[in-house]
Amino acid sequence: MTSPMRAALPKILAFAAAAALALAALSGCQQQNAANEQQNENRQYMAQVNQVMDDLDTRLSSFTDAVSRDDVVGMQTQADDALSVLDDLGSIEAPEALADVKQGYVDGAALLREALTDYVALYTEIHSATEAAPFDWSAYDERLAAIQEKYDEGIAKLQETDQMAAGMEASGEGGQGAGQAQDAADASQQDAQGAGDTAQ
């Protein structure tokens, strides 16, 4: 009964990895630039964001493993860990010049938080169903689609924020960041599509 959810999860995690790779490209490029104090602060912020996204990817991989083992307790634990990492995005202090960038990441993380929480709730409801209180499969597709839509909105917000940060870097702090970030995002999107095809 849980196979449809397992089929959807790799696509979700692949998108998260795509966001992490795009951020890694940004922070890596920024570290190569000779910079004044403001540029150093910008790089430090982006490096911290990149680390958070790397941590998130690790937590979501563990979450996937728990789902594959039908381990509801483990899944809840790993989901809590992932949500804690998402909270870290809001606690990173951003330079004034990157206030809009920070808000974009925070908004994207909030959407991912809602989607992941709803996903865990749906999976737990399925797992705890009994003959006396069966799960309502008639609403399953609609609920899962709503979760996927919210997750996609979160990823889109992160990607939009990546492009904003890359554009700021390209216009004022180095000309290669935007292209490298976009290349990483494009490559990751191809990986995400492949993961989704394999899952189905």
Side-chain angles (χ1 to χ4, degrees):
M1 290 198 309
T2 59
S3 58
M5 297 185 65
R6 291 181 185 167
L9 189 61
K11 178 181 178 183
I12 291 175
L13 297 184
F15 277 117
L21 284 176
L23 288 171
L26 282 173
S27 63
C29 180
Q30 288 173 344
Q31 292 170 358
Q32 296 173 6
N33 295 330
N36 56 25
E37 182 177 350
Q38 181 63 53
Q39 290 172 327
N40 284 332
E41 290 177 358
N42 292 352
R43 284 200 304 272
Q44 289 171 7
Y45 171 74
M46 293 305 298
Q48 288 178 286
V49 170
N50 180 56
Q51 182 60 56
V52 168
M53 296 305 292
D54 284 345
D55 291 345
L56 177 62
D57 187 49
T58 299
R59 300 302 191 280
L60 290 177
S61 294
S62 298
F63 177 81
T64 304
D65 181 63
V67 171
S68 69
R69 293 182 284 104
D70 201 28
D71 179 3
V72 177
V73 174
M75 186 178 72
Q76 182 65 63
T77 299
Q78 297 304 329
D80 288 343
D81 287 346
L83 295 175
S84 176
V85 171
L86 288 173
D87 287 341
D88 291 342
L89 273 177
S91 66
I92 301 173
E93 184 175 350
E96 184 176 350
L98 296 181
D100 289 343
V101 170
K102 175 180 178 177
Q103 190 59 52
Y105 287 129
V106 169
D107 291 346
L111 288 166
L112 297 185
R113 163 180 283 281
E114 291 181 30
L116 186 58
T117 300
D118 291 348
Y119 188 90
V120 172
L122 177 60
Y123 189 96
T124 302
E125 187 177 336
I126 292 172
H127 193 270
S128 60
T130 64
E131 289 187 9
F135 177 76
D136 180 12
W137 286 99
S138 66
Y140 170 79
D141 288 341
E142 182 178 352
R143 291 175 64 181
L144 187 61
I147 293 170
Q148 182 68 54
E149 180 179 3
K150 189 173 296 183
Y151 202 100
D152 290 346
E153 288 177 3
I155 293 302
K157 186 63 178 179
L158 291 180
Q159 291 174 335
E160 175 187 324
T161 305
D162 283 345
Q163 292 172 0
M164 180 194 306
M168 292 173 64
E169 180 183 21
S171 64
E173 299 171 328
Q176 297 181 1
Q180 291 182 348
Q182 191 59 54
D183 289 346
D186 290 344
S188 299
Q189 287 287 3
Q190 292 176 359
D191 292 342
Q193 185 62 51
D197 294 342
T198 299
Q200 296 177 10

